[in-house]
Amino acid sequence: MNMAVTAPPAEVVVAPAGLLARLQALPPRNQIGLGLGLLLLVAVLVLLPMWGRTGDYRPLFTGLSDKDGGAIVAQLAQQQVAYRTEPGGTILVPASQVYDLRMKLASSGLPKGSLVGFELLDKPSLGQTQFNERLNFQRALEGELTRTITALADVSDARVHLAIPQQTGFFREQQKPSASVMLHLRGGRLLDRGQIAGIVHLVSSSVPELQPRAVSVLDQTGKLLSNNHDGEGAGLGLDAQQQQYKGQLEASLARRIEALLEPVVGTGNLRTTVTAEIDFSQTEQTSEAYAPNQGASAAQTLRSHVVNESQNAANPIATGVAGAVSNQPPVPAQAPINGASAPLQGTQQGAAGAGSNRREETRNYEVDRTVRVTRQASGEVRRLNAAVVVNHRTSTDPRGRSSTAPIPDAELERLTQLAREAIGFNEQRGDSLRVISAPFVKPVVEETTLPVWQQPWARDLFSSGAVPLALVLVALIIVFGMVRPALRAAYPKTVVVDERVPAGATLSEVVGDTPALPPPDIFGLPALEAPIDATKLEQARMFAQGNPLAVANIVRAWMNGEEPTVG
């Protein structure tokens, strides 16, 4: 039996055709959500490449003073450069701009630091006194010397103090200038004697009439590095060069022992240490020895020969007061000192032609003399102390089990003899050498496996990729939480059509061939050009909901093999 089914009239709803019209037809709530989501998505897409370009910051300057830091920050703000500040006077900028900013700031004279050089004299003052001029020149000279000294690789900071007295012509003895240099060395660095002498020579050559012995050089611990004050700094300990020589000597002796004993006991089974006591004192001795000429026939050297001769005439001219007494010959001396005296002017008889002669001769000969100057060498070894530890010997039995045993005393004695010959052992000097056998304790290294999130590479990856990942996650939330629901609302799945089903029409006439829907886009929505409101599938659903009795008759006809009709 055929039943006529009359479809009820449906409400006519006309869907807009264009995308803009569909969006305008949305409720205000959906429009606001869609607009806000699009704005946030655009912001995320803009921030993501900006973070990848400026996220890596590198130090621009470190250890800046507050004055220099403020000047540099002002310059960066003026140039619109992003920066960060950290404790300790550190300013961070994007890694791609570090070197460009350093050159730009250097052209502006930043950082200036607390040092001033000869640029202090570029702006003279009209009311400047002579004292101020001299003081500014001294400050400028100190600043230039400090800059030059801090340019050394081993010096991180320095200060120079100059004492330049005022020269005047009213004093007979003028006071000489002096200088003091305070060095702050880098960690683990030492200056050798040549470097210290170079600093002293640099300072003394920069100041007129400054002698090198008037320059004092100290390090950050207060230790006097320069030793040029006429022996005043002697006895304060070993200098850097002496310590280096002592260390090299000890290391050389230790290597000799290891090179000789390691082939016997095996590599890694020997530990050696050598301590040397070295005398760095310098002694100079001068001696003179006088020795007489040996033997009568020994060769003699004549140093001087002096001969004095005098002769008196026989008839001297008479002088004095005329008279009998004056005409008489002189009387011989009555009191001779040694023996009889000789007549001065002949005999008492006044023999004619008699006179007196006198001759003196002096000969001086050289005496043998030996001058000996002895200088004792510096760096003489006073004593050597050496200690050698040999590991126990390891043996393996046929079953593969390992065991250790001390080295026999006879073998230790042979090793001791070899070590003595290696270092030049001298018992009279007081040297000592000790060789013992002891088991070496192997350090137990506990392997700790850190979790993946605590690995250094994971931390670096997280610190560099956390923000980009967070931005991507925010973008996904915006797309699927705000944009996609708004687009779904613009394209509803159910559409009410204004059509009536004719009486007596078959199901195939009502439903027909259902066309295949176009593939959804990336958001799960159908293509915009798909006519969703004209699908016959929706018509069949609406027909089944409005005419349940007709649907039951159609199903019964299908089960009986008849052609179902709607009537």
Side-chain angles (χ1 to χ4, degrees):
M1 181 179 62
N2 297 333
M3 296 180 62
V5 180
T6 303
E11 183 180 0
V12 179
V13 178
V14 180
L19 175 62
L20 182 61
R22 291 175 182 274
L23 295 178
Q24 292 178 353
L26 290 175
R29 178 180 178 182
N30 292 342
Q31 291 180 357
I32 294 174
L34 179 60
L36 184 60
L38 291 177
L39 290 177
L40 293 177
L41 184 60
V42 171
V44 170
L45 294 178
V46 172
L47 289 176
L48 189 59
M50 290 180 60
W51 174 264
R53 186 175 65 254
T54 62
D56 189 10
Y57 280 75
R58 291 289 184 270
L60 180 63
F61 294 107
T62 59
L64 294 173
S65 61
D66 295 339
K67 184 177 180 180
D68 287 341
I72 292 176
V73 167
Q75 288 288 335
L76 294 178
Q78 185 177 0
Q79 298 177 12
Q80 297 181 356
V81 177
Y83 66 89
R84 298 176 185 175
T85 57
E86 291 185 355
T90 302
I91 299 178
L92 304 176
V93 295
S96 59
Q97 304 180 13
V98 171
Y99 300 103
D100 294 338
L101 291 175
R102 285 181 181 175
M103 289 187 289
K104 291 180 180 179
L105 294 175
S107 63
S108 302
L110 294 175
K112 295 182 179 179
S114 59
L115 298 176
V116 290
F118 286 122
E119 66 271 9
L120 186 64
L121 307 177
D122 294 340
K123 298 179 180 180
S125 177
L126 295 178
Q128 196 172 23
T129 63
Q130 184 179 4
F131 174 77
N132 291 334
E133 291 179 356
R134 186 171 64 254
L135 184 61
N136 289 337
F137 174 75
Q138 181 174 340
R139 289 180 56 195
L141 187 57
E142 290 176 352
E144 293 295 334
L145 288 174
T146 302
R147 290 176 179 175
T148 305
I149 294 174
T150 52
L152 298 176
D154 297 336
V155 180
S156 62
D157 195 7
R159 293 197 67 181
V160 178
H161 302 278
L162 298 178
I164 305 177
Q166 184 178 2
Q167 301 296 333
T168 178
F170 296 99
F171 296 98
R172 180 176 300 174
E173 295 182 359
Q174 300 291 340
Q175 187 177 1
K176 299 299 182 181
S178 60
S180 300
V181 182
M182 178 73 178
L183 302 178
H184 187 84
L185 303 179
R186 302 186 186 277
R189 302 290 183 89
L190 291 176
L191 297 180
D192 56 17
R193 183 175 297 179
Q195 291 174 316
I196 298 173
I199 295 175
V200 172
H201 184 72
L202 171 68
V203 177
S204 62
S205 301
S206 302
V207 180
E209 299 184 3
L210 178 58
Q211 300 297 328
R213 62 175 178 272
V215 180
S216 301
V217 181
L218 292 82
D219 60 2
Q220 67 270 20
T221 61
K223 180 181 177 181
L224 182 64
L225 301 180
S226 60
N227 190 11
N228 48 12
H229 291 272
D230 299 333
E232 294 181 3
L236 297 180
L238 303 181
D239 57 11
Q241 188 174 5
Q242 292 173 351
Q243 291 178 354
Q244 183 181 6
Y245 173 76
K246 182 175 181 294
Q248 291 177 353
L249 178 61
E250 294 174 349
S252 176
L253 295 177
R255 287 195 300 267
R256 289 183 183 180
I257 297 177
E258 293 176 356
L260 194 60
L261 299 186
E262 269 191 348
V264 180
V265 299
T267 305
N269 294 325
L270 184 68
R271 297 293 183 271
T272 305
T273 179
V274 178
T275 304
E277 296 181 6
I278 304 176
D279 184 12
F280 290 100
S281 61
Q282 297 180 357
T283 304
E284 182 175 348
Q285 182 180 1
T286 304
S287 62
E288 294 185 2
Y290 294 90
N293 296 322
Q294 304 295 328
S297 61
Q300 298 179 356
T301 303
L302 180 64
R303 181 175 62 179
S304 62
H305 183 201
V306 180
V307 177
N308 294 326
E309 294 184 359
S310 61
Q311 182 178 4
N312 294 329
N315 296 321
I317 300 175
T319 58
V321 181
V325 178
S326 301
N327 294 330
Q328 295 179 0
V331 180
Q334 301 297 325
I337 297 176
N338 294 320
S341 61
L344 296 177
Q345 297 180 358
T347 60
Q348 294 182 358
Q349 289 79 9
S356 63
N357 296 327
R358 183 179 180 182
R359 179 184 177 87
E360 293 182 359
E361 184 176 357
T362 303
R363 294 177 182 270
N364 294 323
Y365 295 93
E366 292 289 350
V367 180
D368 293 345
R369 185 183 66 166
T370 303
V371 179
R372 181 178 293 104
V373 179
T374 304
R375 293 186 180 90
Q376 295 183 358
S378 177
E380 182 181 0
V381 179
R382 290 181 178 178
R383 185 179 179 184
L384 291 178
N385 298 323
V388 182
V389 181
V390 183
N391 190 15
H392 281 186
R393 184 164 296 169
T394 303
S395 59
T396 304
D397 57 6
R399 296 183 180 181
R401 291 179 299 181
S402 300
S403 60
T404 59
I407 297 179
D409 296 339
E411 188 172 352
L412 284 179
E413 183 63 26
R414 292 195 297 268
L415 296 177
T416 303
Q417 294 296 332
L418 290 176
R420 288 181 177 179
E421 296 296 332
I423 64 174
F425 185 85
N426 188 353
E427 187 175 359
Q428 297 179 355
R429 192 172 54 189
D431 296 350
S432 64
L433 175 64
R434 181 70 173 172
V435 180
I436 64 173
S437 177
F440 287 1
V441 178
K442 296 182 179 180
V444 179
V445 180
E446 297 181 359
E447 297 182 359
T448 57
T449 304
L450 295 176
V452 178
W453 59 87
Q454 294 183 0
Q455 296 288 342
W457 62 269
R459 291 182 178 181
D460 296 340
L461 181 62
F462 178 76
S463 60
S464 60
V467 175
L469 290 178
L471 293 177
V472 172
L473 181 60
V474 171
L476 294 178
I477 294 175
I478 293 173
V479 170
F480 290 98
M482 301 179 68
V483 178
R484 188 170 182 269
L487 294 178
R488 282 181 174 272
Y491 293 92
K493 292 183 179 180
T494 59
V495 179
V496 180
V497 296
D498 188 11
E499 292 183 359
R500 294 181 178 273
V501 181
T506 61
L507 183 62
S508 60
E509 294 176 354
V510 176
V511 179
D513 297 333
T514 302
L517 294 177
D521 58 0
I522 58 174
F523 301 110
L525 300 175
L528 297 180
E529 60 271 12
I532 302 176
D533 53 346
T535 57
K536 294 184 178 181
L537 180 61
E538 295 296 333
Q539 295 178 7
R541 290 178 180 175
M542 296 297 297
F543 177 78
Q545 292 178 359
N547 302 279
L549 184 59
V551 173
N553 293 332
I554 292 173
V555 173
R556 185 183 302 109
W558 281 348
M559 295 179 64
N560 295 329
E562 301 175 355
E563 179 68 22
T565 58
V566 180

